[in-house]
Every structure is written in structure tokens, then in C-alpha cells.
């Protein structure tokens, strides 16, 4: 959607009727521009009701990102996080990686209503839709080297699991190394990208994507079972409140990770582990499949797989994990 469409969507986001004249006056645009904006909103998949004499309304209100409301939800992290909100960009991770190179400070977060080139792990695309998903990235700088950031995606998963359970998704589990699932369906994903020297200092761009409400355009674009927070919680979700809570929890976890690494979060991660002590099949990049029992993770975040030969460690980026008899 273009800028006018986003402006019109914000004007209609409460689900109430708004006349084209009122929208035009508020936004400082013409009635014709309002009409085109509403048309583009409908083209993006939103259901619009138009009634002569009353104007337009969204059949289903939408929670759009609002800096003031997010700030109120940030809690103690408000002094530690600087937030940028964009209507559309290529990728929040890509944007923050560019800013990190140019010296952007630790704690800078970028959230977007829409991404044109969202990225997931191992080159996969991350599909997002305005109002239905929450996508953001957080830049965090470390004095330790890049080689010591192993387990960062798992630590981030702990922060997500805490918040999503508090938001009503009681069945949230973590799938090694970077997925958040409920009943085998993907709810959220994590993408970590590292800059810096092996011996330090270093910086991490931590990308998060969460399915917030049902959207057939999202589910139809992915090749695995997915779910969303509103479905699993049975509650309407305010994306501003959710983002504030997530950033607050991530600051707490990242402070702890900076001091002690992943080791101090390992036991909690294993409580959330979807495949803990279960039979799994590990698929290596060369196509080799290895069956065994998932015995949790090591202090550096490596997966511990027990086979007839004993326990072997596997690191993020080398394998995909599939529970026996199910698809990922």
C-alpha cells in the first residue's frame, strides 16, 4: 500500500464509520485521494463497508503500530530502546544491518507494518501482512566477540515464550533453534545476524516475526502449518502492547545473556523445548537423516542428540529438525 492508503487505514482502524469528507479534511487530502486510498486498502485484503451518508468503515478493526502506545507498554525498557516505525520497507533486519554498519546505537529497534523482502532462516522468505503479523528487529551491541554469541537465538526464544504465554498462548513451545510453535504449528520465528570481530566487539540484529491474527493470505503463502496468537489465546491482541512487552523482556534477557551467555537460560529453554526427550530426525545439509532422542541443548545452544553411538552436538545453521512422523 502507498502512503495515502496507510493514512486512510489509520483513519479507519477503529472500525467505526468515517465519512470521506472527514477523512480528507483530517489528512489534508482530496476526496478523490481518499477514494483511491480506500480502494487500495480493499485491494490489500481488508473488508471495507461503504454506506451512503455514513462513509466507510473496516468490518474488522485493526491494531496499527503507534509509538506512544508502544512507549507506554515498554516499562523499564523505555530508557533503553529507541524505536523507529515504518509503513513499508524491504526487511527490518536488512534496514538495521545497514544502520549498524553506520554506527547505530545498541537498543535501536525497527518495526514495520509491511515488508517487501522479509527474510527467515536459511534464505527462506518471511511472509507478513499489515495488521495480521508483527515484524520487528532489535540491534544489540556486545563487548564479547561474535564467536561467543552462540545460543543468542535460543535466549531470544526464552523471551518470546515468556511474553507469548503471558499474552494467553499457554501452549507455546520452542523448536530448536529458532521457532516458536503451538501444537506443532509455527507461531513465530527468529532470525539472528551478527556483525563484528570474532574476539569482539560485536553486534547482533535480532529479527522477530509473529503471526498475530488469522490471515488466509499468510497461511496460503507458506509451506508449513502455522497458527496465530489470537487463535491460540482466544483473545484480541493489541500489537502495540505486545511489541512493548516483547522489547521489555528482550532487554532483560539480553542483559543477562551479555553477562553470562546462554548457560544461565539453558534450563528454562529446555522447559519450553517442544522435542525434549522425544524421538526426532535431524536432516543435515547434505540430505543425511539422523534419528535419535533430543536430550536438550548445551551451554552454547548446540542441540544434544543421542543415538546408538552416544550423544552428538549439532549447531544452528547446519541442520533442520523434524519430529518423527510430522512435517516442519
Amino acid at each position: 500500500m502507498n502512503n495515502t492508503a496507510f493514512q486512510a487505514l489509520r483513519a479507519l482502524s477503529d472500525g467505526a464509520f468515517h465519512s470521506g469528507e472527514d477523512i480528507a479534511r483530517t489528512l489534508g487530502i482530496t476526496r478523490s485521494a481518499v477514494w483511491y486510498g480506500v480502494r487500495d486498502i480493499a485491494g490489500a485484503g481488508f473488508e471495507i463497508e461503504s454506506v451512503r451518508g455514513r462513509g466507510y468503515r473496516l468490518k474488522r478493526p485493526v491494531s496499527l503500530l503507534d509509538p506512544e502506545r508502544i512507549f507506554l507498554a515498554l516499562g523499564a525498557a523505555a530508557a533503553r530502546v529507541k524505536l523507529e516505525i515504518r509503513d513499508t520497507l524491504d526487511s527490518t533486519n536488512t534496514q538495521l544491518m545497514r544502520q549498524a554498519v553506520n554506527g547505530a546505537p545498541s537498543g535501536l529497534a525497527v518495526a514495520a507494518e509491511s515488508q517487501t523482502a522479509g527474510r527467515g532462516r536459511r534464505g527462506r522468505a518471511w511472509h507478513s501482512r499489515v495488521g495480521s503479523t508483527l515484524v520487528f528487529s532489535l540491534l544489540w551491541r556486545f563487548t564479547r566477540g561474535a564467536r561467543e554469541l552462540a545460543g543468542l537465538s535460543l535466549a531470544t526464544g526464552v523471551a518470546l515464550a515468556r511474553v507469548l504465554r503471558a499474552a494467553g498462548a499457554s501452549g507455546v513451545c520452542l523448536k530448536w533453534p529458532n521457532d516458536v510453535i503451538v501444537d506443532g504449528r509455527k507461531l513465530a520465528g527468529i532470525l539472528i545476524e551478527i556483525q563484528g570481530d570474532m574476539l569482539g566487539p560485536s553486534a547482533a540484529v535480532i529479527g522477530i516475526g509473529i503471526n498475530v491474527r488469522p490471515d488466509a493470505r499468510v497461511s496460503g503463502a507458506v509451506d508449513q502449518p502455522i497458527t496465530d496468537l489470537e487463535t491460540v489465546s482466544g483473545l484480541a491482541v493489541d500489537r502495540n502492547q505486545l511489541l512493548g512487552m516483547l522489547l521489555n523482556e528482550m532487554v532483560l534477557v539480553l542483559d543477562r545473556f551479555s553477562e553470562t551467555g546462554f548457560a544461565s537460560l539453558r534450563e528454562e529453554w529446555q522447559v519450553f523445548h517442544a522435542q525434549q526427550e522425544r524421538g526426532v530426525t535431524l536432516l543435515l545439509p547434505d540430505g543425511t537423516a539422523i534419528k535419535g532422542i533430543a536430550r536438550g541443548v548445551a551451554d552454547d545452544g548446540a542441540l544434544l542428540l543421542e543415538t546408538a553411538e552416544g550423544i552428538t552436538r549439532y549447531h544452528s545453521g547446519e541442520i533442520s529438525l523434524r519430529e518423527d512422523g510430522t512435517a516442519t
Side-chain angles (χ1 to χ4, degrees):
M1 299 194 304
N2 59 30
N3 182 60
T4 300
F6 272 108
Q7 288 182 300
L9 181 61
R10 287 191 175 88
L12 296 172
S13 62
D14 60 3
F17 275 104
H18 297 270
S19 71
E21 182 179 357
D22 287 344
I23 296 173
R25 182 167 51 250
T26 299
L27 300 181
I29 59 179
T30 65
R31 288 285 302 276
S32 177
V34 171
W35 184 88
Y36 282 111
V38 171
R39 182 199 63 179
D40 290 345
I41 294 171
F46 291 93
E47 291 187 82
I48 305 287
E49 185 176 1
S50 176
V51 177
R52 184 179 297 275
R54 301 187 68 186
Y56 308 102
R57 79 174 182 95
L58 283 178
K59 288 190 175 181
R60 185 181 182 189
V62 61
S63 168
L64 297 178
L65 298 177
D66 181 326
E68 292 185 4
R69 293 170 63 189
I70 296 168
F71 181 81
L72 290 175
L74 270 172
R80 306 278 304 280
V81 173
K82 179 183 178 182
L83 179 64
E84 297 179 3
I85 296 176
R86 310 289 181 86
D87 286 340
T88 302
L89 47 65
D90 50 359
S91 157
T92 59
N93 258 41
T94 300
Q95 175 66 23
L96 258 190
M97 291 288 284
R98 289 192 287 256
Q99 296 192 48
V101 169
N102 293 323
S106 185
L108 176 61
V110 174
E113 294 288 5
S114 174
Q115 296 184 123
T116 58
R119 296 182 289 115
R121 181 170 170 263
R122 300 179 70 185
R124 297 185 180 95
W126 179 269
H127 299 278
S128 61
R129 294 290 181 177
V130 178
S132 298
T133 52
L134 176 62
V135 291
F136 69 98
S137 298
L138 175 65
L139 171 63
W140 205 260
R141 295 191 179 276
F142 299 88
T143 57
R144 63 177 63 196
R147 64 191 298 174
E148 297 183 56
L149 300 187
L152 181 56
S153 65
L154 278 68
T156 302
V158 170
L160 264 64
R162 290 175 181 174
V163 172
L164 293 171
R165 287 197 174 195
S170 59
V172 158
C173 295
L174 298 175
K175 177 184 174 184
W176 187 87
N178 66 338
D179 285 348
V180 182
I181 63 175
V182 177
D183 295 330
R185 294 178 174 272
K186 187 168 180 175
L187 173 62
I190 301 162
L191 175 65
I192 307 286
E193 296 183 282
I194 306 294
Q195 293 180 350
D197 298 328
M198 293 303 290
L199 299 179
S202 59
V205 171
I206 304 166
I208 308 293
I210 302 173
N211 300 318
V212 175
R213 66 196 302 184
D215 193 319
R217 298 166 298 170
V218 175
S219 58
V222 299
D223 59 357
Q224 61 180 308
I226 65 171
T227 189
D228 61 88
L229 185 53
E230 291 195 349
T231 295
V232 299
S233 69
L235 302 170
V237 175
D238 181 342
R239 292 160 70 240
N240 295 290
Q241 179 74 18
L242 179 62
L243 179 53
M245 292 170 61
L246 285 165
L247 288 171
N248 185 64
E249 195 66 39
M250 287 175 68
V251 168
L252 294 174
V253 166
L254 289 169
D255 279 345
R256 187 171 175 184
F257 183 89
S258 295
E259 295 175 2
T260 63
F262 174 66
S264 64
L265 296 161
R266 174 176 171 266
E267 289 189 11
E268 184 176 3
W269 188 92
Q270 292 186 156
V271 171
F272 293 130
H273 187 197
Q275 287 91 12
Q276 186 74 14
E277 310 298 336
R278 302 178 71 173
V280 297
T281 301
L282 298 178
L283 300 181
L284 302 181
D286 63 4
T288 302
I290 303 175
K291 294 184 180 294
I293 304 296
R295 298 300 189 194
V297 291
D299 284 351
D300 63 355
L303 181 72
L304 303 177
L305 181 68
E306 182 177 0
T307 66
E309 287 73 38
I311 293 180
T312 305
R313 297 159 51 96
Y314 293 88
H315 290 274
S316 174
E318 298 177 1
I319 59 176
S320 66
L321 175 62
R322 299 187 181 186
E323 186 171 352
D324 288 342
T326 67
T328 57

